[in-house]
Amino acid sequence: MRKIDPKQLDKNVFSAIGDQWMLITAGTADRCNTMTASWGGLGVIWGAPAATCYIRPQRYTKEFVDREEYFTLAFFGEESRKALQLCGSKSGRDIDKVKECGFTVQAAECGAPYFEQAELVLVCRKRFAQPMDPANIPQEIKTKWYPQEDYHTLYIGEIVEALVKD
């Protein structure tokens, strides 16, 4: 993979995150966990390129993101759809998702794990985390998205490295 300036990204983030999905991964190259996500965003905050992602409290990956200083967001082509479905439906507590998907783990300069099969990887330094406050969420959103009242934690990561497949 080749490093680029995040300002050179030309991906449609609405499609990449919402339709094609992404993997949120944290831990080390030797021990990591990943999960599929279709909620998030890219932009600028505190003068730096940034990514937001949202993780429910029961997700195993949340333990890794909470513990580590860095996490990665990886984007794949349609040929990886089956693997992304597995990563979104199975827990890393129960199976080795990396092995099941046939992914090869690599480490970014900071040590954060990512998968060499990805088309784009955003390496993020965790800058902020906060559980969503249900008092600030409209009732129709809570009814549709939170029937179990398992509100996401919002993470903001400063994009410190962007890698694209050659």
Side-chain angles (χ1 to χ4, degrees), residues 43-65:
V44 176
I45 188 165
W46 303 313
T52 60
C53 61
Y54 303 81
I55 304 176
R56 289 186 190 270
Q58 66 270 32
R59 296 301 297 256
Y60 187 46
T61 302
K62 185 177 186 309
E63 296 175 24
F64 289 79
V65 173

Side-chain angles (χ1 to χ4, degrees), residues 1-2 13 19 33 37 40 62 64 66 73-74 82 85 114 127 131 136 140 150 155 166:
M1 297 196 89
R2 148 179 79 80
V13 297
D19 299 330
N33 200 65
K62 185 177 186 309
F64 289 79
D66 286 343
L73 304 178
K82 188 173 179 179
Q85 286 173 331
Y114 70 89
R127 304 304 281 162
N136 294 324
E140 69 272 13
D150 56 343
Y155 295 89
D166 285 320

Side-chain angles (χ1 to χ4, degrees), residues 24-41:
I24 302 171
T25 308
T28 65
D30 295 328
R31 185 165 166 8
C32 63
N33 200 65
T34 191
M35 63 174 269
T36 303
S38 61
W39 291 15

